[in-house]
Amino acid sequence: MVNRLEAIFERPLALILLPLSILPFLLVVPQMVESKQLYERRHQSGPLPAPRVVLTPAQVERFQPVAAYSGAVPVLAYGGIRDRAEGAAVSRFGFAEQMAALDRMGFSAISMEQFASFRAGDRTGLPARPVLITFDDGRLDSYRGADAVLARHGFRAAMFVSTAKVRRGDTDHLTWRELHGMKDSGRWDVEPQAGDGYRTVAYDQRGDTAPFYAVRRYTRSSGLESFAGYERRVTEDVFGAGDRLRDQGFDPHAFALPYGDYGQERTNDPAIPQFMR
């Protein structure tokens, strides 16, 4: 009789204990997934192989070597490199094809220091067909997709970074270690794009938003910030970004405005574009 009672009670008890035993595993699974993602981010985020590109006869005919020029430096600004073109990002093959075309036409990619000197009126040492290649936002996919392609053609590029995103450890963006490795390769210049300013802010009571640098910010607690407050906010962000890079041992020569927007098209204060220029 006792054995029969034990058997009767053991079954419900087993059913009760089984879900309880699952709970710790369910709690651990998200951590396991996150750890796997972090592992892949840290250990499998090196440069990707350069896609094989062979220009077609039509492309060879189209991309003839260009004549030498002076007084201008074309600037190519990339938003990212992914497996396929999407939004502001170009595909890996598309980027490789474009670099092959530039090489075929005789362009030479210059450093940001050379470009800064050119903008200051010094054209000493510029190649016959200079071009500047840049990437926005310090994205990991840009580095992974571009590095081997740049190496294939003897090109270099500038990576503009948001130092706040680097500091937060955003897994879509490059780390300080990776940025140092890029600089040490001789193929990359590391430049500031913003501190915390690669984002939008509210500029009116309705909550409408615009890029950080384009408007005077509105908050419910303080209302619309003064122009002096705007100047202080953006100045601290611009120079703070440069300071963070210098603290890391980089030597910035330029600043790329997030979204390319300094209020030149739409703003809530007409003094902003002139101040930003």
Side-chain angles (χ1 to χ4, degrees):
M1 185 67 174
V2 173
N3 291 338
R4 186 177 300 173
L5 288 174
E6 289 178 348
I8 291 172
F9 284 109
E10 280 176 357
R11 292 193 191 98
L13 184 60
L15 293 174
I16 291 171
L17 291 176
L18 182 59
L20 291 177
S21 68
I22 291 174
L23 286 177
F25 183 72
L26 293 177
L27 294 174
V28 168
V29 165
Q31 298 177 17
M32 293 172 64
V33 171
E34 183 179 1
S35 296
K36 180 177 183 294
Q37 292 173 340
L38 289 175
Y39 177 87
E40 291 175 345
R41 171 62 177 77
R42 291 168 180 163
H43 300 286
Q44 300 177 13
S45 56
L48 294 168
R52 183 174 180 272
V53 172
V54 177
L55 297 178
T56 66
Q59 289 174 321
V60 170
E61 179 64 27
R62 178 183 179 187
F63 301 128
Q64 293 290 328
V66 300
Y69 56 86
S70 62
V73 175
V75 178
L76 304 181
Y78 289 95
I81 300 179
R82 301 180 186 175
D83 289 338
R84 61 179 182 273
E86 183 179 6
V90 67
S91 70
R92 290 176 55 213
F93 183 84
F95 178 74
E97 192 174 49
Q98 291 167 19
M99 295 301 103
L102 288 180
D103 197 355
R104 160 76 179 159
M105 290 186 284
F107 286 98
S108 298
I110 65 173
S111 69
M112 187 56 68
E113 183 177 10
Q114 288 176 297
F115 183 72
S117 295
F118 165 77
R119 289 295 302 270
D122 182 3
R123 301 174 186 173
T124 305
L126 281 183
R129 303 169 189 84
V131 64
L132 179 68
I133 302 170
T134 71
F135 291 88
D136 289 343
D137 201 22
R139 293 187 59 85
L140 175 65
D141 57 14
S142 295
Y143 163 62
R144 297 194 72 197
D147 190 64
V149 178
L150 295 173
R152 171 187 286 172
H153 297 286
F155 289 166
R156 63 182 301 141
M159 179 66 76
F160 287 88
V161 303
S162 167
T163 57
K165 292 179 180 179
V166 181
R167 188 173 63 252
R168 288 195 297 264
D170 187 326
T171 55
D172 289 331
H173 292 78
L174 292 154
T175 64
W176 289 125
R177 178 180 60 82
E178 288 165 336
L179 290 166
H180 280 291
M182 291 164 66
K183 173 179 176 289
D184 292 343
S185 75
R187 280 188 296 278
W188 294 90
D189 298 309
V190 178
E191 307 287 340
Q193 185 155 21
D196 191 40
Y198 207 130
R199 59 188 176 93
T200 59
V201 296
Y203 63 87
D204 60 25
Q205 292 180 334
R206 295 192 304 271
D208 295 324
T209 62
F212 184 93
Y213 291 90
V215 293
R216 288 163 55 192
R217 183 169 56 183
Y218 177 88
T219 60
R220 294 189 183 280
S221 59
S222 303
L224 187 65
E225 72 181 337
S226 65
F227 188 77
Y230 165 85
E231 288 182 308
R232 182 170 56 254
R233 172 169 60 87
V234 301
T235 300
E236 288 176 353
D237 197 72
V238 170
F239 287 99
D243 289 343
R244 297 296 81 74
L245 288 180
R246 292 186 187 90
D247 290 344
Q248 287 287 328
F250 297 105
D251 183 22
H253 295 90
F255 179 84
L257 199 70
Y259 309 104
D261 192 337
Y262 56 91
Q264 72 272 32
E265 296 181 1
R266 186 185 64 173
T267 183
N268 59 354
D269 191 321
I272 286 176
Q274 184 60 39
F275 170 75
M276 287 301 297
R277 290 191 191 101

